[in-house]
Amino acid sequence: MKKIIILFLISASLYSQITNITKTAGIHERNATWSPDGEWIAYISDKSGTEEVWLMRPDGSSKTQLTKAKHIDSGAYRYELLWSPDSKYLLNSDNARNLNLIDVFAKTERTISQSKTFAIRDFNWANDNNWVAFSVQNPQNIKIIYLHSLKNNKTYQITTEFYNSYNPVFSKCGKYLFFVSDRDFNAKINSLEWNHAYLEMSKIYAICLQNDIPSPFMDFIDYNEPPIEEKKLSKKEKEILKNADIIIDLEDIESRIFALPIPVANYSNLQTTDKKLYYVRDNILFSFDLEDLKEKEVGPYTSYKITPDGKNVIFRSEKDYYISKTTEKFNAKDNKLDLSNLKMNLNKKEEWEQVFNESWRHYNQFFYAPNMHGVDWINERNKYSELLPYVTHRTDLTYLIGEMIGELNAGHCYVSGGEMPEVKKTGIGLLGIDLIYDSAAKMYKINKILQGQNWDPTLRSPLTEPGLNVKTGTYIVAIDDNKLNYEINPYSHLVGKVNTIVKLTLQYANKTENIFVKTIANETQLRYFNWVEERRRIVDSVSDGRIGYVHIPDMSASNGLNWWAKYFYPQVRKEGMIIDDRYNGGGNVSPMIIERLRRVMSMAKIGRNSETVMTLPNAVMTGPIVCLINEQSMSDGDMFPFQFKDYNLGPVIGKRSWGGVVGIYGSLPLLDGSSIHKPEVANFGAKSANWELEGVGMIPDIEVDNHPAKEYEGIDEQLIFAIEKVFELMKTNTKPQVPSIPEYPIKR
């Protein structure tokens, strides 16, 4: 779905009025934010040829450029904007790791902090327009909160480097700074091995900014003293108090941290009003009343923004947006924003030119090597831009950008998406089988039934469900009473029947039978599982159960790591192991797997009446290991065999890997909703101090190829060689083995 990134003004009246206030098709305008006084809208625009901060009136008039890069082709990518409460300043961060302060009326910009790791994306203002709180991640990956004073232009660290602290937000009264911090250490023990993980660690904490302010939860009452009547302030006195400078006592400030009485969980998106602190906990929005010190659930909202006066809120509920009063419960019934008329007339030629230029800039701003691999990047833009007038479809633009970024000769240079006609897809119900046409019988025969694990919805094989007892070689005569014949594809009778019950008429041994089965939508995981199981059984059969086999499809935590765990732990006590990294799609978990493979047994242990000797550490492979790779071992699948060899875990066998190891973080928003991925973070060897693998791949210790014809017949030559190699290495294995139980001591 296309993302329209043009500035619109939407009124939250009874009749939602939508106004396009910039009317630009070939300019990317984003991160619009209204000034607290309602007089201005600040936004980021590339009208000048690079990302700059602009200002305009709410009616679209008085457009003014506030910032200006030293050179149009060297400007940094700018992220979000944040107004000061008095509408005089803006905070803005960029990919050069700067946190910048922009004086709106003087049109000046200065850097108030710079990170040495990642961009500073987490910052907030105090009500007095002087103090700024922000977090910076240090080289040890710990986020630290700092305060910056505009008056004296100084920055102060206020949280320790021992705990992650982030999302700082000032209370409106100026007494507290709230923030999220990971300070609760409660280890969870891995169910597969004796190992630990820290999952939920965070709570919301606060700092008393003045040293004479007690924690609101320390309520000391002297019953001998008469109660002090609270003086009611006039409106003028409240205004003076609201705009007064906040005094922050920096000495021993960290000793004044206290925790809110809320559970340990995952917290985000802290915002304050005069009397409440709002926050998201595990995808639910809560408020904490700063007067009665009680927490209340607001609703299932994670995306929300409170107005500067604290009276109103815009929030998202599912796919819709609402504006509500900041009452006890946000109103998700009325005041829904009608975005149905959020439309504009596009000049696609102008839009495509802008996307082309911004894609070029993203590489100029984010590509890991500042020298652009020696490529004259400005010249490449000029060369390929000559073809822009001939682009007549979004696929033409994708091809053009792809050819341009391909000049950098780097992996992970991806361009995709964009506005194209939507093609409505109709699913086909699948049965988890291979069908062949038996010309002699003139019927379709089940040549193979994929084995599944039917307790897992992603690995359900319909014809192996309990009670069906369908065998290979059975004929399918009809589907839903549609008789099958050679002229018509059998799957045509399963169109639009995904995850539905269908009737199959089967014939075997001159007998006809009707069965009912529930189809599946996709066979990818099922076929992968069968591919893995076929190889595991080959290894198990040839080695007489002595060698284990583990295939890792990718290096993602949500898939590859799970397949690794399913197969590694049950086979860890075998005499040797084959780690199959072929066809690995990459990710980032290879160090976790390598850590397990590097374990060496130090001790053994035995318990009373146990016949099994356990190892310390547990889950340790005491036999030889080999690693299989091929041309489609990619990205972190390249990195895995490099580490495998670097730690001398065993030989790497197969064909040279893909050779793309400069990592990506994801795409930034583009005007037409398309994606452009930039290789941003590169790897170099700790021992060699040279760039490794990129453009070369991992060269195996032993090159073994799979002949295509033999592979088609089911003969995996690389796997067979790996089995032979493990047997050979068993003869010279020097790893500590599980010892026999020694004589029990006599102590008398």
Side-chain angles (χ1 to χ4, degrees):
M1 183 178 179
K2 174 172 176 163
K3 299 176 182 176
I4 302 177
I5 310 179
I6 308 293
L7 295 189
F8 289 86
L9 201 62
I10 305 169
S11 67
S13 59
L14 182 62
Y15 304 101
S16 292
Q17 181 180 348
I18 297 176
T19 307
N20 185 338
I21 55 176
T22 53
K23 299 181 178 68
T24 50
I27 300 173
H28 191 172
E29 295 149 336
R30 56 181 172 82
N31 295 94
T33 177
W34 216 312
S35 64
D37 63 9
E39 295 294 319
W40 298 96
I41 294 174
Y43 61 102
I44 295 170
S45 169
D46 65 356
K47 182 179 181 179
S48 66
T50 190
E51 288 83 5
E52 301 291 1
V53 180
W54 287 68
L55 202 66
M56 66 177 168
R57 293 290 186 183
D59 62 0
S61 64
S62 304
K63 293 184 179 68
T64 306
Q65 183 177 337
L66 295 181
T67 62
K68 187 175 183 180
K70 292 180 181 178
H71 191 276
I72 192 172
D73 292 326
S74 62
Y77 184 88
R78 293 181 180 272
Y79 297 110
E80 46 274 303
L81 296 164
L82 184 66
W83 282 97
S84 62
D86 62 3
S87 303
K88 294 180 180 179
Y89 297 96
L90 284 163
L91 288 173
N92 174 236
S93 66
D94 60 39
N95 77 306
R97 284 28 180 181
N98 300 313
L99 179 59
N100 303 307
L101 177 72
I102 301 168
D103 187 317
V104 172
F105 299 105
K107 299 178 187 176
T108 59
E109 180 179 24
R110 67 179 174 88
T111 299
I112 64 174
S113 186
Q114 186 174 52
S115 169
K116 294 181 180 179
T117 55
F118 296 97
I120 302 172
R121 307 286 299 274
D122 178 24
F123 43 86
N124 266 300
W125 285 94
N127 250 20
D128 67 348
N129 308 290
N130 173 44
W131 291 98
V132 173
F134 59 94
S135 69
V136 179
Q137 189 163 316
N138 71 6
Q140 290 74 42
N141 293 322
I142 301 294
K143 295 176 184 176
I144 299 170
I145 295 178
Y146 293 84
L147 294 177
H148 180 84
S149 170
L150 272 63
K151 288 185 178 179
N152 59 24
N153 194 24
K154 287 186 178 181
T155 300
Y156 309 91
Q157 178 179 333
I158 63 166
T159 63
T160 178
E161 57 274 5
F162 280 88
Y163 304 109
N164 261 320
S165 300
Y166 46 96
N167 201 177
V169 56
F170 289 92
S171 65
K172 299 299 183 185
C173 63
K175 294 180 180 180
Y176 311 109
L177 178 74
F178 298 102
F179 62 97
V180 181
S181 190
D182 304 337
R183 301 179 181 229
D184 192 277
F185 287 79
N186 184 18
K188 307 295 182 183
I189 299 301
N190 188 335
S191 296
L192 287 174
E193 60 172 325
W194 185 250
N195 212 323
H196 69 280
Y198 289 97
L199 303 178
E200 295 178 339
M201 296 181 66
S202 65
K203 290 180 70 173
I204 297 177
Y205 297 83
I207 297 178
C208 296
L209 296 177
Q210 294 90 45
N211 56 26
D212 59 348
I213 295 178
S215 163
F217 303 105
M218 301 295 288
D219 191 10
F220 295 105
I221 302 174
D222 187 346
Y223 291 97
N224 296 320
E225 290 288 327
I228 301 173
E229 290 188 15
E230 187 176 342
K231 180 185 175 183
K232 290 188 177 181
L233 300 176
S234 65
K235 187 175 181 181
K236 184 177 181 180
E237 287 173 323
K238 287 181 180 178
E239 194 66 27
I240 293 172
L241 189 62
K242 183 178 178 181
N243 296 321
D245 288 348
I246 294 174
I247 305 300
I248 299 180
D249 296 318
L250 294 162
E251 188 175 353
D252 295 328
I253 189 169
E254 200 167 11
S255 67
R256 301 196 296 272
I257 293 176
F258 61 90
L260 269 64
I262 52 180
V264 175
N266 296 307
Y267 290 90
S268 62
N269 203 355
L270 274 60
Q271 296 183 38
T272 56
T273 62
D274 287 342
K275 296 181 179 180
K276 292 182 180 180
L277 169 69
Y278 288 88
Y279 47 86
V280 174
R281 179 171 74 231
D282 299 333
N283 298 317
I284 301 292
L285 181 62
F286 290 86
S287 68
F288 192 90
D289 194 298
L290 301 176
E291 292 183 342
D292 65 18
L293 305 181
K294 292 181 180 178
E295 179 187 74
K296 294 182 177 66
E297 182 178 323
V298 177
Y301 320 123
T302 58
S303 179
Y304 73 104
K305 181 67 177 177
I306 296 173
T307 55
D309 62 8
K311 295 179 180 179
N312 297 283
V313 62
I314 181 171
F315 64 97
R316 180 177 178 176
S317 178
E318 296 180 349
K319 295 183 179 181
D320 296 317
Y321 291 86
Y322 299 81
I323 289 179
S324 169
K325 298 290 184 182
T326 50
T327 50
E328 204 66 41
K329 294 277 188 180
F330 292 173
N331 186 350
K333 293 182 180 179
D334 306 318
N335 295 330
K336 172 184 169 182
L337 293 181
D338 182 4
L339 305 181
S340 59
N341 201 35
L342 195 63
K343 302 173 184 177
M344 67 170 293
N345 293 321
L346 290 179
N347 183 320
K348 291 193 174 182
K349 287 284 186 179
E350 291 181 4
E351 183 180 86
W352 289 336
E353 182 178 359
Q354 189 282 330
V355 171
F356 174 88
N357 287 320
E358 185 166 13
S359 297
W360 179 91
R361 282 200 311 275
H362 284 189
Y363 270 77
N364 194 49
Q365 295 160 333
F366 289 90
F367 189 66
Y368 86 99
N371 70 347
M372 306 301 287
H373 280 180
V375 174
D376 186 338
W377 195 230
I378 293 177
N379 181 63
E380 294 302 327
R381 176 190 61 190
N382 297 338
K383 179 174 70 176
Y384 282 96
S385 64
E386 292 181 13
L387 296 173
L388 277 171
Y390 306 102
V391 170
T392 58
H393 192 274
R394 186 56 176 80
T395 53
D396 295 342
L397 180 66
T398 298
Y399 175 79
L400 186 62
I401 295 172
E403 290 297 298
M404 177 177 68
I405 61 181
E407 298 284 354
L408 293 169
N409 191 20
H412 296 93
C413 293
Y414 303 142
V415 54
S416 61
E419 185 184 20
M420 298 184 195
E422 285 190 27
V423 178
K424 186 178 180 180
K425 296 181 180 179
T426 301
I428 298 175
L430 300 174
L431 300 170
I433 58 175
D434 288 339
L435 278 176
I436 60 171
Y437 185 74
D438 186 333
S439 56
K442 295 184 179 180
M443 289 187 292
Y444 280 96
K445 181 170 65 176
I446 300 173
N447 193 49
K448 182 179 181 179
I449 299 175
L450 298 176
Q451 295 305 301
Q453 294 181 336
N454 293 334
W455 61 86
D456 181 348
T458 66
L459 293 176
R460 188 174 68 83
S461 183
L463 295 193
T464 66
E465 293 276 20
L468 295 181
N469 300 315
V470 181
K471 305 296 183 184
T472 300
T474 301
Y475 294 99
I476 300 182
V477 179
I479 299 175
D480 283 337
D481 295 325
N482 296 293
K483 191 172 181 179
L484 303 188
N485 59 65
Y486 184 73
E487 286 73 26
I488 299 176
N489 189 314
Y491 288 96
S492 64
H493 302 300
L494 293 169
V495 173
K497 297 180 180 179
V498 171
N499 293 322
T500 59
I501 304 294
V502 297
K503 176 183 175 183
L504 301 182
T505 303
L506 307 179
Q507 182 174 317
Y508 53 93
N510 296 319
K511 180 181 178 182
T512 301
E513 178 186 9
N514 291 325
I515 65 170
F516 294 87
V517 297
K518 186 176 182 180
T519 64
I520 56 177
N522 193 301
E523 291 177 349
T524 303
Q525 282 285 77
L526 194 57
R527 291 189 178 275
Y528 167 72
F529 170 68
N530 279 258
W531 185 88
V532 172
E533 277 294 288
E534 286 168 8
R535 276 141 190 80
R536 186 190 64 78
R537 290 191 183 105
I538 290 170
V539 174
D540 192 64
S541 176
V542 173
S543 71
D544 197 23
R546 298 172 65 190
I547 300 174
Y549 171 82
V550 180
H551 182 262
I552 312 172
D554 58 49
M555 293 295 175
S556 70
S558 60
N559 187 54
L561 195 61
N562 294 334
W563 283 105
W564 150 264
K566 286 180 183 180
Y567 279 86
F568 174 71
Y569 291 101
Q571 302 179 86
V572 74
R573 296 300 291 269
K574 289 184 180 289
E575 297 176 51
M577 185 168 284
I578 298 168
I579 307 296
D580 194 346
D581 184 54
R582 297 175 298 176
Y583 309 104
N584 187 297
N588 57 11
V589 302
S590 67
M592 303 180 194
I593 297 174
I594 288 292
E595 180 193 18
R596 266 67 174 177
L597 296 178
R598 290 186 66 196
R599 291 176 181 168
V600 177
M601 186 175 65
S602 173
M603 299 184 75
K605 54 186 176 181
I606 187 73
R608 181 66 181 270
N609 298 327
S610 175
E611 296 181 6
T612 302
V613 176
M614 307 302 290
T615 62
L616 187 69
N618 67 351
V620 58
M621 166 50 61
T622 60
I625 315 173
V626 301
C627 176
L628 282 175
I629 62 171
N630 67 1
E631 300 88 339
Q632 294 186 62
S633 302
M634 301 181 287
S635 191
D636 204 28
D638 285 297
M639 299 284 290
F640 178 78
F642 178 87
Q643 297 166 81
F644 192 91
K645 181 176 180 178
D646 198 53
Y647 290 122
N648 297 313
L649 295 176
V652 177
I653 300 167
K655 296 290 287 184
R656 182 161 62 97
S657 65
W658 181 55
V661 296
V662 182
I664 52 179
Y665 288 130
S667 179
L668 293 161
L670 290 172
L671 189 59
D672 65 347
S674 57
S675 297
I676 186 87
H677 288 80
K678 305 84 54 189
E680 296 184 48
V681 53
N683 301 279
F684 50 97
K687 297 174 183 176
S688 68
N690 293 323
W691 303 110
E692 300 283 3
L693 299 173
E694 180 66 32
V696 177
M698 183 64 195
I699 299 172
D701 298 308
I702 306 168
E703 183 169 323
V704 180
D705 201 357
N706 270 353
H707 192 283
K710 290 183 179 180
E711 191 170 16
Y712 180 78
E713 293 173 2
I715 301 171
D716 192 333
E717 295 174 278
Q718 292 171 336
L719 183 67
I720 292 169
F721 185 91
I723 298 170
E724 294 170 351
K725 191 64 180 177
V726 174
F727 271 125
E728 178 187 325
L729 293 171
M730 283 180 182
K731 299 173 184 177
T732 56
N733 181 31
T734 58
K735 290 183 180 180
Q737 299 297 298
V738 178
S740 300
I741 304 169
E743 291 290 331
Y744 289 101
I746 297 174
K747 297 182 179 181
R748 60 185 178 90

